[in-house]
Amino acid sequence: MTGAPEADESYSVLAALKSPRRLKTEVLAGLVVALALIPEAIAFSIIAGVDPRLGLFASFTMAVSIAFLGGRPAMISAATGAVALVVAPVARDHGVDYLIATVILAGVIQVALGLLGIAKIMRFIPRSVMVGFVNALAILIFLSQLPHLQDVPWMVYPLVAVGIAIMVLMPRWTKVVPAPLVAIVLLTAATVTAAINVPTVGDEGELPGSLPSLLFPDVPLNLETLQIIAPFALAMALVGILESLLTAKLVDDVTDTHSNKTREAWGQGAANVITGFFGGMGGCAMIGQTMINVKASGARTRISTFLAGVFLLILVVGLGDVVAIIPMAALVAVMVMVAIGTFDWHSVRPATLKRMPRSETAVMLATVVVTVWTHNLAYGVIVGVLVAMVLFARRVAHFTTVTRLDGSDADDQRVYAVEGELFFASSNGLVYQFDYAGDPKDIVIDMTKAHVWDASTVATLDAIRTKYEAKGKTVTIVGANPDTTERLDRLAGRLGAGH
């Protein structure tokens, strides 16, 4: 994947700069994303237990940095809920300086993991886990908007409904201007003109009045500090990379282009290091804002990612008073539409579920349930992969057969044909497939149609040989392919009793 082109030439930065139409799409997409980032960044700061400025500054530095460093054009990185949940205990128990140190160390770990090739783990994530990841994400995006719809003035509900209607109907008429931006502008104008008293962005938290500045966390540079921050930094690094790579894969599918996953992995790390030194709380790829950028607004290049960060800073620092009056109902409407657009509705249609193997559906459901229950995408994906591995091993285990061939030429010889993929799950019952007492003196095990994959199977074959030898009989293995032969020569008789 690392050598694949990151995008079609028509979607390059240079092509966008030469095309007024494409450039306008990128600019407007960046503006819509910036508006959507503000309440999210504030909310995630609250989750982490820090000043809203740490979330807003993180979103600015992450978006701008990843626009240059990342491997997936048009993907948005900023402060996220998953990262906020991981680092919250550090801020609560040790203070903001330790939080910043954790972010920097997590970035360093991500750079190291990226350079070591952690992006290759993507090949081990089944499609059913990806579908579960997408569906769980859509549910979480929707659930995250519910607090903005509870215990609020009744006018919030018609405003949200109007916003959704604008985004559903407007694309049928024109796509010149992103529908989410039109919804935000019109609803803001309506609430201000009619003096409608509803919650606004300004009610979510105080917006910063100055630019972020370079700083170094005030923590002792010793082993004790490392012991405090290292576990949280490692967890943040893994969660951030996993979410970012999965989001990059999703954008690849949506745009039908390839991206450099290795570059994305270490780019996320470098962006977190930069964010930490500018006093941000760290982050990773954001699926909701990325879908706004790519799917709702039609952005395809790094220009939209860069401008999302720039517009965010301009809005909160230079135009904070204007941004503060945007009704939360407008942003809720945008995020609800993102949730609806993100969910893979085809995966839950009765016809699809009827055709889909039960194991695949179980993996998808496990991913969704764990993710929604824990509010952590990383946990859901890990559980989904583990369930997929167990079900796959169980399924493959039943493909192994042992057949006794009675047509051998010699009366004192018995030939058994073993067929299938032999590993720990499929070879455990192998030892019970032979007639140790009734067989003649010479036993031949034909493995022409079998393949030995692990030491567990070699140990099982050793056990079979030992049982026959205890009765004065010999065992000969024939027909093994080169890989199986090499494994048997290296391990047979050397694993010890009981192993």
Side-chain angles (χ1 to χ4, degrees), residues 46-202:
I46 295 171
I47 291 174
V50 297
D51 189 291
R53 286 176 294 183
L54 271 71
L56 291 166
F57 287 162
S59 294
F60 160 67
T61 53
M62 287 292 297
V64 171
S65 299
I66 210 67
F68 293 96
L69 301 171
R72 172 65 259 179
M75 193 165 79
I76 304 296
S77 292
T80 60
V83 168
L85 288 169
V86 171
V87 300
V90 182
R92 182 185 64 242
D93 299 334
H94 304 283
V96 172
D97 284 303
Y98 280 87
L99 169 63
I100 301 302
T102 301
V103 172
I104 295 172
L105 179 59
V108 172
I109 294 173
Q110 286 178 324
V111 170
L113 291 175
L115 295 176
L116 289 173
I118 194 174
K120 294 177 182 178
I121 66 170
M122 289 300 296
R123 72 182 65 178
F124 299 110
I125 299 180
R127 180 187 178 279
S128 51
V129 174
M130 278 296 300
V131 173
F133 165 78
V134 169
N135 290 345
L137 207 43
I139 294 172
L140 287 180
I141 292 171
F142 180 79
L143 292 178
S144 69
Q145 305 310 305
L146 294 183
H148 301 299
L149 298 173
Q150 298 170 350
D151 300 322
V152 294
W154 71 271
M155 276 300 297
V156 168
Y157 304 110
L159 287 173
V160 171
V162 170
I164 292 174
I166 291 172
M167 285 179 281
V168 171
L169 299 175
M170 184 179 165
R172 301 178 183 179
W173 174 51
T174 179
K175 294 183 180 180
V176 174
V177 181
L181 180 59
V182 174
I184 292 171
V185 172
L186 290 181
L187 291 182
T188 302
T191 55
V192 172
T193 303
I196 301 174
N197 185 21
V198 291
T200 64
V201 171

Side-chain angles (χ1 to χ4, degrees), residues 452-469:
V452 174
W453 288 101
D454 61 5
S456 294
T457 302
V458 177
T460 298
L461 292 174
D462 282 349
I464 293 170
R465 190 189 301 273
T466 300
K467 285 179 177 291
Y468 274 118
E469 288 176 349

Side-chain angles (χ1 to χ4, degrees), residues 37 40-45 52 54-63 76-84 272 275 280-286 289 312:
L37 278 174
E40 295 283 303
I42 295 173
F44 297 147
S45 299
L54 271 71
L56 291 166
F57 287 162
S59 294
F60 160 67
T61 53
M62 287 292 297
I76 304 296
S77 292
T80 60
V83 168
N272 270 311
T275 296
M281 58 176 274
C284 62
M286 296 189 77
Q289 276 66 21
L312 172 66

Side-chain angles (χ1 to χ4, degrees), residues 123-375:
R123 72 182 65 178
F124 299 110
I125 299 180
R127 180 187 178 279
S128 51
V129 174
M130 278 296 300
V131 173
F133 165 78
V134 169
N135 290 345
L137 207 43
I139 294 172
L140 287 180
I141 292 171
F142 180 79
L143 292 178
S144 69
Q145 305 310 305
L146 294 183
H148 301 299
L149 298 173
Q150 298 170 350
D151 300 322
V152 294
W154 71 271
M155 276 300 297
V156 168
Y157 304 110
L159 287 173
V160 171
V162 170
I164 292 174
I166 291 172
M167 285 179 281
V168 171
L169 299 175
M170 184 179 165
R172 301 178 183 179
W173 174 51
T174 179
K175 294 183 180 180
V176 174
V177 181
L181 180 59
V182 174
I184 292 171
V185 172
L186 290 181
L187 291 182
T188 302
T191 55
V192 172
T193 303
I196 301 174
N197 185 21
V198 291
T200 64
V201 171
D203 296 329
E204 295 294 301
E206 184 181 355
L207 300 178
S210 61
L211 297 173
S213 58
L214 195 63
L215 62 83
F216 192 86
D218 184 16
V219 297
L221 299 178
N222 54 33
L223 184 59
E224 183 181 355
T225 299
L226 183 62
Q227 290 174 335
I228 292 172
I229 68 174
F232 298 100
L234 179 60
M236 175 183 163
L238 294 175
V239 168
I241 281 185
L242 184 57
E243 283 204 40
S244 299
L245 292 181
L246 287 172
T247 304
K249 176 67 169 62
L250 180 60
V251 178
D252 288 354
D253 294 339
V254 170
T255 61
D256 196 26
T257 58
H258 297 296
S259 59
N260 190 326
K261 303 298 188 303
T262 296
R263 177 175 172 180
E264 186 61 43
W266 66 254
Q268 290 286 337
N272 270 311
V273 172
I274 294 170
T275 296
F277 280 119
F278 276 95
M281 58 176 274
C284 62
M286 296 189 77
I287 183 67
Q289 276 66 21
T290 297
M291 287 298 101
I292 291 175
N293 195 45
V294 174
K295 214 167 185 180
S297 301
R300 291 293 183 271
T301 75
R302 298 175 184 273
I303 295 174
S304 58
T305 306
F306 173 76
L307 290 180
V310 172
F311 282 144
L312 172 66
L313 191 65
I314 294 173
L315 289 170
V316 298
V317 176
L319 300 173
D321 293 338
V322 176
V323 172
I325 65 175
I326 295 175
M328 284 301 301
L331 298 176
V332 169
V334 172
M335 296 308 291
V336 167
M337 287 302 297
V338 168
I340 293 173
T342 301
F343 196 89
D344 186 351
W345 296 101
H346 180 269
S347 68
V348 295
R349 288 177 182 171
T352 304
L353 293 174
K354 187 176 180 179
R355 283 193 298 267
M356 192 68 64
R358 291 181 180 179
S359 59
E360 300 284 322
T361 302
V363 170
M364 188 265 285
L365 289 176
T367 305
V368 171
V369 170
V370 173
T371 300
V372 174
W373 182 37
T374 63
H375 281 234

